Amino acid sequence: MAKKVFIASDHAGFSLKQVLVQHLQEKGHDVVDLGPEEAVSCDYPDSAFKVTDKVLSGDGSFGILICGTGIGMSMAANRVKGIRAALATCEFHARACREHNNANILCLGERVTGKGVAMDLADIFLETEFLGGRHLRRIELFNTK
């Protein structure tokens, strides 16, 4: 099923973002590229917050954030209440973060993840459904601190 996907990067994730935008559009997803428009130095938290704002808009959309390692993007995005951003480096991460954690943003690192792997991770992330049940109770605990 096609999804609405907001995607952004910093300069270190720009090339991989371009690849993923094209790949996801070809798969039929509604992809909104929130920048940057070129590979110039920029601050990853600004890009992360553009995506978190859109994902929290309540339309059931997802986000993808890309920087050099994916670590900075995941740290910035997870500062926002209601965001569950997950750094994925393998298929198991991409599947488990959706099934168990109901992640709404996938974070990737261009310097550590090949293009083919990144496309596979994005596909798995967007195709995998949250299992609910005991996992929902645990996610609800996120808001107690």
mmCIF file of all heavy atoms in Angstrom, residues 7-18 33-48 50-51 64-74 76 108-111:
data_model
loop_
_atom_site.group_PDB
_atom_site.id
_atom_site.type_symbol
_atom_site.label_atom_id
_atom_site.label_comp_id
_atom_site.label_asym_id
_atom_site.label_seq_id
_atom_site.Cartn_x
_atom_site.Cartn_y
_atom_site.Cartn_z
ATOM 1 N N ILE A 7 10.750 13.219 3.582
ATOM 2 C CA ILE A 7 12.154 12.843 3.615
ATOM 3 C C ILE A 7 13.026 14.100 3.624
ATOM 4 O O ILE A 7 12.687 15.099 2.992
ATOM 5 C CB ILE A 7 12.497 11.925 2.410
ATOM 6 C CG1 ILE A 7 13.890 11.333 2.524
ATOM 7 C CG2 ILE A 7 12.285 12.638 1.090
ATOM 8 C CD1 ILE A 7 14.163 10.198 1.531
ATOM 9 N N ALA A 8 14.115 14.029 4.375
ATOM 10 C CA ALA A 8 15.078 15.133 4.414
ATOM 11 C C ALA A 8 16.435 14.570 4.791
ATOM 12 O O ALA A 8 16.553 13.455 5.303
ATOM 13 C CB ALA A 8 14.645 16.206 5.412
ATOM 14 N N SER A 9 17.449 15.381 4.548
ATOM 15 C CA SER A 9 18.813 14.985 4.871
ATOM 16 C C SER A 9 19.602 16.218 5.268
ATOM 17 O O SER A 9 19.094 17.344 5.213
ATOM 18 C CB SER A 9 19.480 14.331 3.648
ATOM 19 O OG SER A 9 19.748 15.299 2.646
ATOM 20 N N ASP A 10 20.840 15.982 5.626
ATOM 21 C CA ASP A 10 21.806 17.071 5.676
ATOM 22 C C ASP A 10 22.705 16.882 4.457
ATOM 23 O O ASP A 10 22.417 16.042 3.589
ATOM 24 C CB ASP A 10 22.562 17.107 7.010
ATOM 25 C CG ASP A 10 23.473 15.912 7.233
ATOM 26 O OD1 ASP A 10 23.538 15.003 6.370
ATOM 27 O OD2 ASP A 10 24.137 15.865 8.280
ATOM 28 N N HIS A 11 23.773 17.642 4.378
ATOM 29 C CA HIS A 11 24.682 17.538 3.235
ATOM 30 C C HIS A 11 25.310 16.149 3.112
ATOM 31 O O HIS A 11 25.523 15.655 2.015
ATOM 32 C CB HIS A 11 25.776 18.607 3.317
ATOM 33 C CG HIS A 11 26.503 18.595 4.626
ATOM 34 N ND1 HIS A 11 25.960 19.133 5.782
ATOM 35 C CD2 HIS A 11 27.703 18.085 4.977
ATOM 36 C CE1 HIS A 11 26.809 18.960 6.779
ATOM 37 N NE2 HIS A 11 27.881 18.332 6.316
ATOM 38 N N ALA A 12 25.575 15.503 4.235
ATOM 39 C CA ALA A 12 26.224 14.189 4.217
ATOM 40 C C ALA A 12 25.291 13.076 3.773
ATOM 41 O O ALA A 12 25.749 11.979 3.436
ATOM 42 C CB ALA A 12 26.804 13.868 5.595
ATOM 43 N N GLY A 13 23.990 13.316 3.783
ATOM 44 C CA GLY A 13 23.026 12.312 3.358
ATOM 45 C C GLY A 13 22.322 12.656 2.061
ATOM 46 O O GLY A 13 21.410 11.947 1.632
ATOM 47 N N PHE A 14 22.761 13.734 1.421
ATOM 48 C CA PHE A 14 22.063 14.259 0.241
ATOM 49 C C PHE A 14 21.975 13.250 -0.905
ATOM 50 O O PHE A 14 20.908 13.050 -1.491
ATOM 51 C CB PHE A 14 22.739 15.546 -0.245
ATOM 52 C CG PHE A 14 22.078 16.131 -1.450
ATOM 53 C CD1 PHE A 14 20.917 16.876 -1.323
ATOM 54 C CD2 PHE A 14 22.613 15.932 -2.723
ATOM 55 C CE1 PHE A 14 20.295 17.413 -2.441
ATOM 56 C CE2 PHE A 14 21.995 16.467 -3.843
ATOM 57 C CZ PHE A 14 20.830 17.208 -3.703
ATOM 58 N N SER A 15 23.070 12.609 -1.261
ATOM 59 C CA SER A 15 23.067 11.676 -2.401
ATOM 60 C C SER A 15 22.139 10.492 -2.164
ATOM 61 O O SER A 15 21.393 10.091 -3.061
ATOM 62 C CB SER A 15 24.485 11.178 -2.692
ATOM 63 O OG SER A 15 25.299 12.238 -3.119
ATOM 64 N N LEU A 16 22.168 9.938 -0.956
ATOM 65 C CA LEU A 16 21.288 8.815 -0.643
ATOM 66 C C LEU A 16 19.831 9.265 -0.632
ATOM 67 O O LEU A 16 18.949 8.527 -1.065
ATOM 68 C CB LEU A 16 21.679 8.173 0.693
ATOM 69 C CG LEU A 16 20.894 6.932 1.084
ATOM 70 C CD1 LEU A 16 20.970 5.849 0.009
ATOM 71 C CD2 LEU A 16 21.397 6.399 2.419
ATOM 72 N N LYS A 17 19.572 10.458 -0.171
ATOM 73 C CA LYS A 17 18.193 10.990 -0.185
ATOM 74 C C LYS A 17 17.670 11.021 -1.616
ATOM 75 O O LYS A 17 16.539 10.588 -1.871
ATOM 76 C CB LYS A 17 18.134 12.392 0.416
ATOM 77 C CG LYS A 17 16.736 13.002 0.364
ATOM 78 C CD LYS A 17 16.707 14.414 0.888
ATOM 79 C CE LYS A 17 17.492 15.318 -0.013
ATOM 80 N NZ LYS A 17 16.790 16.400 -0.636
ATOM 81 N N GLN A 18 18.489 11.483 -2.552
ATOM 82 C CA GLN A 18 18.066 11.556 -3.952
ATOM 83 C C GLN A 18 17.705 10.172 -4.490
ATOM 84 O O GLN A 18 16.693 10.010 -5.176
ATOM 85 C CB GLN A 18 19.163 12.193 -4.803
ATOM 86 C CG GLN A 18 19.513 13.625 -4.412
ATOM 87 C CD GLN A 18 18.338 14.565 -4.477
ATOM 88 O OE1 GLN A 18 17.689 14.868 -3.481
ATOM 89 N NE2 GLN A 18 18.029 15.018 -5.665
ATOM 90 N N ASP A 33 9.945 15.769 -0.544
ATOM 91 C CA ASP A 33 11.347 16.058 -0.243
ATOM 92 C C ASP A 33 11.418 17.423 0.431
ATOM 93 O O ASP A 33 11.123 18.448 -0.182
ATOM 94 C CB ASP A 33 12.158 16.042 -1.536
ATOM 95 C CG ASP A 33 13.650 16.218 -1.325
ATOM 96 O OD1 ASP A 33 14.070 16.610 -0.218
ATOM 97 O OD2 ASP A 33 14.395 15.971 -2.291
ATOM 98 N N LEU A 34 11.827 17.428 1.702
ATOM 99 C CA LEU A 34 11.909 18.660 2.482
ATOM 100 C C LEU A 34 13.311 19.259 2.498
ATOM 101 O O LEU A 34 13.600 20.134 3.300
ATOM 102 C CB LEU A 34 11.408 18.401 3.906
ATOM 103 C CG LEU A 34 9.938 17.978 4.009
ATOM 104 C CD1 LEU A 34 9.569 17.639 5.440
ATOM 105 C CD2 LEU A 34 9.020 19.049 3.452
ATOM 106 N N GLY A 35 14.169 18.772 1.621
ATOM 107 C CA GLY A 35 15.480 19.399 1.470
ATOM 108 C C GLY A 35 16.607 18.638 2.121
ATOM 109 O O GLY A 35 16.399 17.600 2.743
ATOM 110 N N PRO A 36 17.773 19.183 1.895
ATOM 111 C CA PRO A 36 18.094 20.374 1.119
ATOM 112 C C PRO A 36 18.005 20.096 -0.379
ATOM 113 O O PRO A 36 17.909 18.951 -0.807
ATOM 114 C CB PRO A 36 19.530 20.696 1.532
ATOM 115 C CG PRO A 36 20.118 19.372 1.882
ATOM 116 C CD PRO A 36 18.981 18.569 2.471
ATOM 117 N N GLU A 37 18.048 21.169 -1.162
ATOM 118 C CA GLU A 37 17.940 21.043 -2.608
ATOM 119 C C GLU A 37 19.285 20.788 -3.274
ATOM 120 O O GLU A 37 19.332 20.443 -4.455
ATOM 121 C CB GLU A 37 17.292 22.295 -3.195
ATOM 122 C CG GLU A 37 15.850 22.451 -2.740
ATOM 123 C CD GLU A 37 15.189 23.681 -3.311
ATOM 124 O OE1 GLU A 37 15.737 24.280 -4.264
ATOM 125 O OE2 GLU A 37 14.129 24.046 -2.810
ATOM 126 N N GLU A 38 20.359 20.977 -2.519
ATOM 127 C CA GLU A 38 21.693 20.687 -3.025
ATOM 128 C C GLU A 38 22.584 20.284 -1.845
ATOM 129 O O GLU A 38 22.235 20.510 -0.693
ATOM 130 C CB GLU A 38 22.274 21.880 -3.787
ATOM 131 C CG GLU A 38 22.303 23.155 -2.981
ATOM 132 C CD GLU A 38 22.752 24.349 -3.814
ATOM 133 O OE1 GLU A 38 23.532 24.170 -4.760
ATOM 134 O OE2 GLU A 38 22.327 25.455 -3.489
ATOM 135 N N ALA A 39 23.719 19.692 -2.162
ATOM 136 C CA ALA A 39 24.607 19.161 -1.124
ATOM 137 C C ALA A 39 25.512 20.250 -0.559
ATOM 138 O O ALA A 39 26.727 20.201 -0.713
ATOM 139 C CB ALA A 39 25.424 18.004 -1.676
ATOM 140 N N VAL A 40 24.910 21.215 0.110
ATOM 141 C CA VAL A 40 25.681 22.267 0.773
ATOM 142 C C VAL A 40 25.558 22.073 2.283
ATOM 143 O O VAL A 40 24.561 21.542 2.769
ATOM 144 C CB VAL A 40 25.207 23.682 0.372
ATOM 145 C CG1 VAL A 40 25.452 23.927 -1.107
ATOM 146 C CG2 VAL A 40 23.745 23.888 0.712
ATOM 147 N N SER A 41 26.559 22.505 2.997
ATOM 148 C CA SER A 41 26.591 22.324 4.440
ATOM 149 C C SER A 41 25.316 22.871 5.091
ATOM 150 O O SER A 41 24.898 23.997 4.809
ATOM 151 C CB SER A 41 27.819 23.022 5.028
ATOM 152 O OG SER A 41 27.877 22.787 6.420
ATOM 153 N N CYS A 42 24.705 22.059 5.925
ATOM 154 C CA CYS A 42 23.501 22.464 6.651
ATOM 155 C C CYS A 42 23.458 21.706 7.971
ATOM 156 O O CYS A 42 24.179 20.736 8.173
ATOM 157 C CB CYS A 42 22.250 22.229 5.827
ATOM 158 S SG CYS A 42 21.981 20.517 5.311
ATOM 159 N N ASP A 43 22.604 22.142 8.870
ATOM 160 C CA ASP A 43 22.508 21.561 10.205
ATOM 161 C C ASP A 43 21.444 20.472 10.252
ATOM 162 O O ASP A 43 20.264 20.742 9.985
ATOM 163 C CB ASP A 43 22.196 22.655 11.223
ATOM 164 C CG ASP A 43 23.288 23.702 11.292
ATOM 165 O OD1 ASP A 43 24.466 23.322 11.188
ATOM 166 O OD2 ASP A 43 22.959 24.891 11.441
ATOM 167 N N TYR A 44 21.851 19.255 10.598
ATOM 168 C CA TYR A 44 20.918 18.125 10.583
ATOM 169 C C TYR A 44 19.716 18.303 11.506
ATOM 170 O O TYR A 44 18.621 17.851 11.167
ATOM 171 C CB TYR A 44 21.630 16.786 10.835
ATOM 172 C CG TYR A 44 22.295 16.656 12.173
ATOM 173 C CD1 TYR A 44 21.597 16.238 13.284
ATOM 174 C CD2 TYR A 44 23.653 16.945 12.330
ATOM 175 C CE1 TYR A 44 22.205 16.116 14.521
ATOM 176 C CE2 TYR A 44 24.268 16.822 13.553
ATOM 177 C CZ TYR A 44 23.545 16.421 14.646
ATOM 178 O OH TYR A 44 24.155 16.306 15.867
ATOM 179 N N PRO A 45 19.820 18.974 12.671
ATOM 180 C CA PRO A 45 18.604 19.128 13.478
ATOM 181 C C PRO A 45 17.504 19.908 12.751
ATOM 182 O O PRO A 45 16.321 19.586 12.887
ATOM 183 C CB PRO A 45 19.091 19.870 14.723
ATOM 184 C CG PRO A 45 20.531 19.493 14.839
ATOM 185 C CD PRO A 45 21.005 19.447 13.407
ATOM 186 N N ASP A 46 17.883 20.902 11.958
ATOM 187 C CA ASP A 46 16.874 21.661 11.207
ATOM 188 C C ASP A 46 16.123 20.748 10.246
ATOM 189 O O ASP A 46 14.891 20.816 10.145
ATOM 190 C CB ASP A 46 17.530 22.807 10.427
ATOM 191 C CG ASP A 46 18.096 23.887 11.330
ATOM 192 O OD1 ASP A 46 17.624 24.028 12.481
ATOM 193 O OD2 ASP A 46 19.022 24.597 10.882
ATOM 194 N N SER A 47 16.850 19.881 9.560
ATOM 195 C CA SER A 47 16.207 18.927 8.644
ATOM 196 C C SER A 47 15.332 17.944 9.404
ATOM 197 O O SER A 47 14.219 17.629 8.976
ATOM 198 C CB SER A 47 17.276 18.169 7.846
ATOM 199 O OG SER A 47 18.028 19.051 7.050
ATOM 200 N N ALA A 48 15.829 17.470 10.526
ATOM 201 C CA ALA A 48 15.054 16.514 11.331
ATOM 202 C C ALA A 48 13.737 17.126 11.778
ATOM 203 O O ALA A 48 12.680 16.488 11.686
ATOM 204 C CB ALA A 48 15.873 16.063 12.542
ATOM 205 N N LYS A 50 11.999 19.533 10.432
ATOM 206 C CA LYS A 50 11.059 19.702 9.315
ATOM 207 C C LYS A 50 10.229 18.431 9.139
ATOM 208 O O LYS A 50 9.016 18.478 8.951
ATOM 209 C CB LYS A 50 11.811 20.009 8.020
ATOM 210 C CG LYS A 50 12.377 21.395 7.946
ATOM 211 C CD LYS A 50 13.141 21.584 6.637
ATOM 212 C CE LYS A 50 13.830 22.942 6.595
ATOM 213 N NZ LYS A 50 14.625 23.101 5.365
ATOM 214 N N VAL A 51 10.910 17.289 9.217
ATOM 215 C CA VAL A 51 10.220 16.015 9.034
ATOM 216 C C VAL A 51 9.351 15.687 10.241
ATOM 217 O O VAL A 51 8.207 15.253 10.085
ATOM 218 C CB VAL A 51 11.219 14.881 8.721
ATOM 219 C CG1 VAL A 51 10.544 13.515 8.770
ATOM 220 C CG2 VAL A 51 11.861 15.116 7.356
ATOM 221 N N ILE A 64 11.615 9.782 6.686
ATOM 222 C CA ILE A 64 12.942 9.201 6.503
ATOM 223 C C ILE A 64 13.943 10.339 6.616
ATOM 224 O O ILE A 64 13.779 11.384 5.966
ATOM 225 C CB ILE A 64 13.091 8.479 5.151
ATOM 226 C CG1 ILE A 64 12.105 7.305 5.060
ATOM 227 C CG2 ILE A 64 14.533 7.996 4.960
ATOM 228 C CD1 ILE A 64 12.134 6.560 3.740
ATOM 229 N N LEU A 65 14.939 10.138 7.462
ATOM 230 C CA LEU A 65 15.986 11.127 7.691
ATOM 231 C C LEU A 65 17.343 10.501 7.417
ATOM 232 O O LEU A 65 17.608 9.368 7.850
ATOM 233 C CB LEU A 65 15.941 11.630 9.134
ATOM 234 C CG LEU A 65 14.711 12.471 9.495
ATOM 235 C CD1 LEU A 65 14.626 12.650 11.006
ATOM 236 C CD2 LEU A 65 14.785 13.818 8.788
ATOM 237 N N ILE A 66 18.210 11.247 6.726
ATOM 238 C CA ILE A 66 19.505 10.709 6.344
ATOM 239 C C ILE A 66 20.597 11.722 6.646
ATOM 240 O O ILE A 66 20.505 12.884 6.240
ATOM 241 C CB ILE A 66 19.552 10.368 4.840
ATOM 242 C CG1 ILE A 66 18.360 9.492 4.462
ATOM 243 C CG2 ILE A 66 20.857 9.679 4.477
ATOM 244 C CD1 ILE A 66 17.828 9.770 3.098
ATOM 245 N N CYS A 67 21.611 11.274 7.361
ATOM 246 C CA CYS A 67 22.822 12.065 7.556
ATOM 247 C C CYS A 67 24.000 11.132 7.289
ATOM 248 O O CYS A 67 23.822 10.086 6.677
ATOM 249 C CB CYS A 67 22.864 12.708 8.949
ATOM 250 S SG CYS A 67 22.897 11.567 10.351
ATOM 251 N N GLY A 68 25.173 11.490 7.732
ATOM 252 C CA GLY A 68 26.336 10.650 7.469
ATOM 253 C C GLY A 68 26.232 9.283 8.107
ATOM 254 O O GLY A 68 26.516 8.261 7.480
ATOM 255 N N THR A 69 25.833 9.240 9.374
ATOM 256 C CA THR A 69 25.730 7.968 10.104
ATOM 257 C C THR A 69 24.297 7.579 10.457
ATOM 258 O O THR A 69 24.038 6.431 10.786
ATOM 259 C CB THR A 69 26.508 8.046 11.432
ATOM 260 O OG1 THR A 69 25.896 9.057 12.247
ATOM 261 C CG2 THR A 69 27.983 8.352 11.205
ATOM 262 N N GLY A 70 23.385 8.528 10.446
ATOM 263 C CA GLY A 70 22.015 8.304 10.904
ATOM 264 C C GLY A 70 21.855 8.568 12.388
ATOM 265 O O GLY A 70 20.738 8.709 12.883
ATOM 266 N N ILE A 71 22.952 8.663 13.100
ATOM 267 C CA ILE A 71 22.902 8.835 14.555
ATOM 268 C C ILE A 71 22.398 10.222 14.931
ATOM 269 O O ILE A 71 21.497 10.369 15.758
ATOM 270 C CB ILE A 71 24.283 8.558 15.186
ATOM 271 C CG1 ILE A 71 24.690 7.106 14.967
ATOM 272 C CG2 ILE A 71 24.269 8.907 16.672
ATOM 273 C CD1 ILE A 71 26.147 6.812 15.301
ATOM 274 N N GLY A 72 22.979 11.249 14.333
ATOM 275 C CA GLY A 72 22.563 12.613 14.656
ATOM 276 C C GLY A 72 21.101 12.854 14.357
ATOM 277 O O GLY A 72 20.372 13.456 15.165
ATOM 278 N N MET A 73 20.645 12.377 13.212
ATOM 279 C CA MET A 73 19.236 12.544 12.846
ATOM 280 C C MET A 73 18.326 11.840 13.850
ATOM 281 O O MET A 73 17.305 12.388 14.256
ATOM 282 C CB MET A 73 18.970 12.001 11.443
ATOM 283 C CG MET A 73 19.475 12.870 10.335
ATOM 284 S SD MET A 73 18.562 14.432 10.228
ATOM 285 C CE MET A 73 19.048 14.935 8.586
ATOM 286 N N SER A 74 18.691 10.630 14.246
ATOM 287 C CA SER A 74 17.832 9.901 15.183
ATOM 288 C C SER A 74 17.810 10.588 16.547
ATOM 289 O O SER A 74 16.756 10.676 17.186
ATOM 290 C CB SER A 74 18.258 8.439 15.312
ATOM 291 O OG SER A 74 19.553 8.310 15.833
ATOM 292 N N ALA A 76 18.253 13.852 17.146
ATOM 293 C CA ALA A 76 17.476 15.086 17.028
ATOM 294 C C ALA A 76 15.985 14.789 16.946
ATOM 295 O O ALA A 76 15.178 15.402 17.661
ATOM 296 C CB ALA A 76 17.935 15.873 15.797
ATOM 297 N N LEU A 108 18.782 6.770 8.468
ATOM 298 C CA LEU A 108 19.810 6.042 7.732
ATOM 299 C C LEU A 108 21.080 6.872 7.654
ATOM 300 O O LEU A 108 21.023 8.106 7.709
ATOM 301 C CB LEU A 108 19.330 5.736 6.308
ATOM 302 C CG LEU A 108 18.077 4.874 6.185
ATOM 303 C CD1 LEU A 108 17.555 4.889 4.750
ATOM 304 C CD2 LEU A 108 18.361 3.455 6.639
ATOM 305 N N GLY A 109 22.197 6.186 7.482
ATOM 306 C CA GLY A 109 23.486 6.854 7.327
ATOM 307 C C GLY A 109 24.086 6.584 5.968
ATOM 308 O O GLY A 109 24.376 5.433 5.635
ATOM 309 N N GLU A 110 24.281 7.637 5.178
ATOM 310 C CA GLU A 110 24.829 7.463 3.841
ATOM 311 C C GLU A 110 26.247 6.915 3.858
ATOM 312 O O GLU A 110 26.645 6.157 2.979
ATOM 313 C CB GLU A 110 24.805 8.795 3.079
ATOM 314 C CG GLU A 110 25.371 8.677 1.681
ATOM 315 C CD GLU A 110 25.244 9.928 0.847
ATOM 316 O OE1 GLU A 110 24.253 10.668 0.998
ATOM 317 O OE2 GLU A 110 26.155 10.162 0.029
ATOM 318 N N ARG A 111 27.025 7.281 4.860
ATOM 319 C CA ARG A 111 28.424 6.854 4.913
ATOM 320 C C ARG A 111 28.590 5.407 5.376
ATOM 321 O O ARG A 111 29.682 4.853 5.284
ATOM 322 C CB ARG A 111 29.211 7.787 5.827
ATOM 323 C CG ARG A 111 29.309 9.195 5.284
ATOM 324 C CD ARG A 111 30.020 10.123 6.232
ATOM 325 N NE ARG A 111 30.080 11.465 5.668
ATOM 326 C CZ ARG A 111 30.223 12.560 6.389
ATOM 327 N NH1 ARG A 111 30.321 12.494 7.720
ATOM 328 N NH2 ARG A 111 30.271 13.737 5.806
#
